[in-house]
């Protein structure tokens, strides 16, 4: 497959599914996880900050880190990649679904509505006792860890390592990828499952999977075509 064939397959497709990862928000200034220099996991151990055990052992340190990421997110703006994916949704309508691993809320701010957040959302927190979800206040008033209106300690409303993804989100995404004629995998290293496995649902049912990433990833050799570029330029080339 070449770029022209990828473009025409995407143009002709009535059902399109998209999986995004941290790379889509890199151009909004939000660090990715596995970039050797700037990635979160190059500076911290995920098990120290993104696991239920870490939160049990040291809730203050875990919340301080999330409060910092929350500040990054509130300062960030959606970039061209987020906007192009919202436009693709406009174009495809009911046949479109965007499944994101990102917790920064930038797809929704760019106008994406047919969206599932597989790993939760950093802009909200969850009451540890009742499970109720509350929007987070201004980060400067955010004490670590925040207390819910019910008086219980809250935790970030995101999926930690060793935890299950929200079942309905994963099911919706799996169905969309299984029925997609074309799937896009944008800005993800493809190393975290079950999210990374969604691409295989499309391949298994005879669909085409196109990657947009400046680097080669674990998924590249298994996919139909790769646009070796950053998300905003790569998506623009595909949607031309
Ligand atoms: N445009 C597109 N892709 C980019 C860009 C960019 N401007 N910059 C970097 N990338 C790519 C990198 O090449 C890499 O393949 O984005 C990918 C980011 O990979 P990771 O840092 O591993 O992030 P992600 O794939 O989203 O991680 C998945 O792991 O830590 C957990 O829950 C966390 O959701 C996260 C999951």
């Amino acid at each position: 497959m070449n770029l022209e064939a990828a473009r025409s397959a995407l143009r002709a497709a009535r059902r399109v599914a998209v999986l995004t990862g941290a790379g889509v928000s890199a151009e909004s200034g939000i660090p990715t996880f596995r970039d050797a220099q700037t990635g979160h996991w190059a500076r911290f151990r995920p098990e120290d900050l993104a696991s239920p055990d870490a939160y049990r052992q040291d809730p203050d340190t875990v919340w301080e880190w999330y409060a910092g990421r929350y500040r990054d997110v509130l300062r960030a703006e959606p970039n061209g990649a987020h906007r192009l994916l919202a436009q693709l949704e406009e174009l495809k309508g009911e046949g479109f679904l965007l499944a994101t691993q990102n917790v920064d809320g930038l797809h929704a701010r760019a106008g994406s509505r047919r969206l599932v957040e597989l790993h939760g959302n950093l802009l909200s927190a969850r009451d540890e006792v009742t499970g109720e979800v509350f929007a987070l206040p201004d980060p400067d008033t955010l004490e670590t860890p925040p207390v819910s209106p019910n008086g219980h300690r809250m935790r970030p409303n995101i999926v930690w390592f060793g935890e299950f993804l929200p079942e309905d989100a994963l099911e919706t995404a799996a169905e969309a990828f299984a029925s997609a004629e074309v799937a896009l995998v944008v800005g993800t290293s493809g190393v975290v499952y079950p999210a990374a496995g969604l691409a295989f649902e499309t391949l298994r049912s005879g669909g085409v999977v196109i990657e947009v990433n400046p680097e080669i990833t674990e998924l590249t050799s298994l996919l139909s075509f790769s646009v070796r570029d950053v998300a905003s330029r790569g998506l623009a080339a595909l949607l031309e």
Side-chain angles (χ1 to χ4, degrees):
M1 178 170 251
N2 62 20
L3 181 59
E4 192 37 51
R7 261 197 214 117
S8 48
L10 183 55
R11 209 175 298 127
R14 282 171 306 109
R15 288 185 309 281
V16 172
V18 181
L19 172 70
T20 61
V24 156
S25 297
E27 292 166 84
S28 297
I30 295 186
T32 61
F33 290 95
R34 293 173 181 80
D35 177 281
Q37 274 74 44
T38 61
H40 288 301
W41 303 150
R43 292 173 291 146
F44 305 101
R45 287 175 354 126
E47 50 274 30
D48 294 343
L49 289 170
S51 73
D53 286 347
Y55 196 53
R56 252 191 298 283
Q57 276 147 35
D58 190 350
D60 287 9
T61 302
V62 169
W63 255 110
E64 253 152 54
W65 184 62
Y66 280 103
R69 287 184 62 197
Y70 178 47
R71 283 189 190 86
D72 287 349
V73 162
L74 290 186
R75 269 197 298 268
E77 289 299 325
N79 66 61
H82 297 106
R83 285 193 292 275
L84 283 169
L85 289 170
Q87 285 164 24
L88 184 56
E89 172 179 327
E90 282 287 303
L91 215 57
K92 301 294 178 183
E94 296 282 301
F96 180 87
L97 185 85
L98 168 55
T100 187
Q101 300 171 91
N102 300 340
V103 296
D104 56 34
L106 290 179
H107 284 303
R109 281 175 57 193
S112 290
R113 292 293 170 268
R114 299 182 62 80
L115 167 70
V116 287
E117 294 179 316
L118 298 170
H119 292 170
N121 186 310
L122 195 60
L123 304 173
S124 55
R126 201 161 70 227
D127 180 309
E128 283 201 291
V129 174
T130 66
E132 276 174 280
V133 172
F134 299 93
L136 277 177
D138 174 310
D140 298 332
T141 64
L142 188 64
E143 81 269 15
T144 54
V147 175
S148 78
N150 309 317
H152 305 132
R153 187 173 80 168
M154 293 207 281
R155 55 159 281 175
N157 183 32
I158 68 169
V159 179
W160 276 329
F161 286 100
E163 294 186 320
F164 290 108
L165 276 64
E167 215 168 295
D168 49 342
L170 187 55
E171 220 168 274
T172 305
E175 278 159 22
F177 276 80
S179 63
E181 292 144 292
V182 171
L184 304 182
V185 176
V186 189
T188 183
S189 55
V191 298
V192 171
Y193 284 77
L198 289 168
F200 307 130
E201 297 286 340
T202 306
L203 292 172
R204 241 197 302 279
S205 50
V208 161
V209 183
I210 302 161
E211 180 179 55
V212 179
N213 197 313
E215 314 278 335
I216 291 178
T217 71
E218 303 262 321
L219 296 174
T220 302
S221 60
L222 308 166
L223 303 183
S224 320
F225 183 64
S226 273
V227 180
R228 191 69 54 238
D229 205 339
V230 293
S232 57
R233 271 204 308 264
L235 285 168
L238 275 174
L239 295 171
E240 235 166 53

